Amino acid sequence: IAGSSSRVLLDRASMGALLDDPDPVVVGAGQIGSQVKMRAGTSWLVANVRSLKLEDAAGTCIAADIDFLGEGDEETLTGKLHRFRRGVTRYPMPGCEVFPITTADLQQIYAADDRANITVGTVYPTEDIRAALYVDAMLGKHFALVGSTGTGKSTGAALILHRICELAPQGHIVMIDPHGEYAAAFKSNGAIYDVSNLQMPYWLMNFEEHCEVFLTSSGSARQFDADILAKCLLAAKAKSRIGQEIAKLTVDAPIPYLLSDLTNIIGLEMGKMDRAGDTAPYLRLKTKIDEIKADPRYGFMFSGMLVADTMASFLARIFRLPGDGKPISIIDVSGVPSDITAVVVAVLARMTFDFAIWSRNEPQRPILLVCEEAHRYIPAGQEATSAVGRILGRIAKEGRKYGVSLGLITQRPSDLAEGVLSQCGTIIAMRLNNDRDQAFVRAAMPEGARGFLDSIPALRNRECIISGEGVTIPIRVSFDNLEESKRPASGDPLFSDLWRDVGHEDQIIGRTIQRWRAQGK
């Protein structure tokens, strides 16, 4: 007997006798990943089997390493297990007998209590015991969904989000979708935004984000350029009507200003310079701003001569306030030019966080921010260098206090900034093929889930291991089937079928080139 794990001896003959039992859970008792129970006083202790090994040369005895999961009370008359809870208060003594778990026991162990929960599938190896996720615990402490490409990760994410939307049709969920695959899944219950209708005002950027878009220099010159931009930006904001009403205006305040005002002020400042060499930083800035204004790809953000104060309507649309029965907004950033994708994600994430901070004295409206391909935005080793890495890292650490929840979806957990995954209270792990990724997830998962983690490489598609705050004890779950209309557009192409399809190639190429040149869909 040890603190978290122990060893038990199983009799091979007894295990063989279990094979005739009508209960399928009893038949699988003693196998890896199955549960066993033992008495400690008036309680039943439940443990998970992690590894098996023959103990003697004759092969009559099998030694099993087990991890304790929790304990339940024993009913006096029937001896059945009930009122199961996580953790162990009383350990068994050496020589204590070990029993197989039954379906009735599992129903007690996995029975959802009266907290708000969503069911996402069935508990392995049963067909009918539902796996419940406790929504408040899962969202309150952030969650991560990890799995190698092709394991059903996108469909699993869509399933969880659909169930949350069904539970809370007036919720507030923002999903950042870098591949444009979730629009198909949330047509009926979500608001879909892409470059054609996002209409994100450029003046919502804070100073740091302005620098990422407008500054082209590096090293010491960058700091010099940033000082010039700060001075001119403040002057441009102060010119606007809203800016004039604010006594202490800062360069970070989201105040509408005209890009033409900014370039004019830069031009005026440049005119004050005596030597030609001093004008270079002003020219660099002015050229870059003019270039962005003229580039149609940036139209969704830097568009129009008229600048209205659209901040209230933008926040209402994106955060679904009110949601009108469509609690999730899908923001498809696949059409955003790659050099400012990170800035757009940074603005959306920071708006979520800032909105939560500045609305603290108001009735609370918690927001869930879901970030697909999270390793792109919070890469390991560079979290402090980009605006998006810093803001997502900050939400992971502090978001809980302000009612901002973070959901991270990634196929490469080892590429994520180290602190971020460990901030996720619930981890949903699908199959991971890479050793480094497996080690990373193992390090982030709570102690009792170790035995389950060993089976991560052996999971089938649409199966996962859930551990942490959102579940009573770690569980292996087979996800439910999602109707075709609610699935994301992320299916793998069937090469053998598609390569048989011929004809109209010239028209396909023609239409493709036309869209390619126009840089539109």
Side-chain angles (χ1 to χ4, degrees):
I1 310 287
S4 62
S5 56
S6 302
R7 293 187 83 199
V8 296
L9 290 179
L10 307 175
D11 176 38
R12 263 185 96 175
S14 308
M15 285 177 76
L18 296 178
L19 298 174
D20 302 328
D21 198 284
D23 186 340
V25 177
V26 175
V27 171
Q31 294 179 7
I32 286 185
S34 68
Q35 282 84 36
V36 291
K37 62 181 179 181
M38 58 214 79
R39 272 199 189 87
T42 55
S43 305
W44 279 115
L45 273 185
V46 177
N48 186 53
V49 177
R50 181 164 25 125
S51 63
L52 299 169
K53 168 180 164 199
L54 270 183
E55 184 66 10
D56 55 351
T60 56
C61 217
I62 296 170
D65 286 320
I66 59 167
D67 297 309
F68 292 120
L69 295 173
E71 60 190 11
D73 298 337
E74 183 180 2
E75 266 181 21
T76 338
L77 294 172
T78 58
K80 278 184 180 165
L81 179 149
H82 72 122
R83 288 216 349 251
F84 179 83
R85 56 214 169 264
R86 199 182 207 156
V88 179
T89 52
R90 192 169 173 186
Y91 287 93
M93 295 302 288
C96 159
E97 288 187 313
V98 177
F99 299 89
I101 282 261
T102 64
T103 299
D105 292 334
L106 282 185
Q107 274 161 343
Q108 280 295 320
I109 292 170
Y110 296 120
D113 53 35
D114 47 12
R115 290 181 286 167
N117 63 73
I118 52 170
T119 57
V120 291
T122 52
V123 177
Y124 176 87
T126 68
E127 299 286 316
D128 52 353
I129 296 177
R130 302 293 288 152
L133 276 170
Y134 298 114
V135 176
D136 296 325
M138 178 171 110
L139 300 185
K141 298 207 175 108
H142 313 310
F143 70 93
L145 171 59
V146 301
S148 294
T149 181
T151 52
K153 195 166 67 284
S154 304
T155 312
L159 171 71
I160 291 168
L161 291 175
H162 272 302
R163 294 282 197 269
I164 293 174
C165 291
E166 285 160 21
L167 179 79
Q170 299 301 327
H172 312 284
I173 306 171
V174 179
M175 165 90 174
I176 293 168
D177 172 15
H179 299 306
E181 55 189 20
Y182 288 90
F186 292 94
K187 274 196 202 86
S188 58
N189 59 348
I192 317 294
Y193 300 106
D194 59 15
V195 288
S196 65
N197 65 347
L198 184 60
Q199 292 165 335
M200 183 162 116
Y202 57 85
W203 46 264
L204 286 180
M205 296 191 291
N206 67 7
F207 179 60
E208 184 187 7
E209 290 147 4
H210 269 95
C211 289
E212 288 205 6
V213 179
F214 289 156
L215 299 191
T216 50
S217 51
S218 57
S220 58
R222 189 178 178 86
Q223 187 53 55
F224 190 63
D225 290 8
D227 294 342
I228 293 169
L229 178 61
K231 185 180 172 186
C232 299
L233 192 56
L234 196 56
K237 286 182 174 180
K239 271 187 83 167
S240 72
R241 184 180 56 80
I242 297 170
Q244 286 164 5
E245 292 165 7
I246 295 169
K248 289 185 177 172
L249 187 62
T250 71
V251 73
D252 276 335
I255 306 281
Y257 71 90
L258 285 164
L259 279 176
S260 53
D261 280 350
L262 179 59
T263 49
N264 290 342
I265 292 166
I266 292 172
L268 287 170
E269 288 290 320
M270 185 164 67
K272 294 177 188 172
M273 293 293 126
D274 303 334
R275 299 200 313 277
D278 295 340
T279 59
Y282 295 93
L283 266 174
R284 271 201 299 267
L285 265 174
K286 205 166 174 296
T287 313
K288 182 66 180 174
I289 294 168
D290 289 339
E291 190 183 296
I292 284 174
K293 264 167 64 178
D295 191 334
R297 293 178 308 154
Y298 294 87
F300 72 95
M301 195 168 169
F302 297 92
S303 68
M305 297 307 291
L306 292 169
V307 176
D309 183 8
T310 51
M311 189 169 176
S313 65
F314 181 73
L315 292 180
R317 281 190 310 144
I318 298 299
F319 297 149
R320 315 305 304 140
L321 296 160
D324 302 324
K326 293 189 169 187
I328 184 167
S329 57
I330 303 291
I331 300 173
D332 170 6
V333 293
S334 60
V336 173
S338 55
D339 48 344
I340 64 160
T341 307
V343 174
V344 170
V345 177
V347 173
L348 292 166
R350 189 183 49 74
M351 298 301 287
T352 310
F353 192 60
D354 284 356
F355 179 77
I357 288 178
W358 295 111
S359 65
R360 283 193 84 173
N361 301 329
E362 303 292 332
Q364 250 200 327
R365 298 284 185 271
I367 297 170
L368 165 60
L369 177 68
V370 184
C371 196
E372 169 73 272
E373 297 278 1
H375 56 273
R376 280 190 188 187
Y377 307 119
I378 339 174
Q382 300 173 12
E383 59 267 40
T385 55
S386 68
V388 68
R390 267 197 290 272
I391 186 62
L392 287 175
R394 194 169 168 206
I395 291 175
K397 293 184 188 85
E398 303 168 33
R400 195 166 61 90
K401 301 174 198 158
Y402 302 108
V404 179
S405 176
L406 190 59
L408 299 176
I409 305 170
T410 177
Q411 50 187 318
R412 291 305 309 270
S414 60
D415 288 350
L416 267 182
E418 207 160 325
V420 175
L421 196 62
S422 56
Q423 297 287 344
C424 295
T426 307
I427 293 184
I428 303 162
M430 301 184 81
R431 189 173 69 247
L432 287 164
N433 303 329
N434 182 299
D435 288 349
R436 225 170 114 235
D437 290 335
Q438 289 164 22
F440 220 74
V441 171
R442 190 173 279 119
M445 277 205 179
E447 194 65 23
R450 292 288 158 88
F452 286 87
L453 287 175
D454 295 339
S455 58
I456 282 182
L459 291 173
R460 295 177 300 194
N461 281 1
R462 293 200 11 258
E463 270 192 354
C464 68
I465 283 158
I466 308 177
S467 76
E469 305 287 338
V471 283
T472 320
I473 55 168
I475 45 176
R476 179 170 169 179
V477 176
S478 185
F479 276 137
D480 287 342
N481 253 330
L482 200 54
E483 305 96 281
E484 197 68 47
S485 62
K486 291 184 175 179
R487 283 186 205 164
S490 60
D492 296 328
L494 298 170
F495 285 78
S496 55
D497 286 355
L498 295 173
W499 278 354
R500 289 199 196 104
D501 193 8
V502 288
H504 307 298
E505 277 79 2
D506 50 346
Q507 289 164 22
I508 294 172
I509 291 174
R511 287 192 298 266
T512 304
I513 291 174
Q514 199 177 347
R515 282 194 297 270
W516 195 340
R517 285 179 175 156
Q519 297 282 304
K521 291 199 170 176

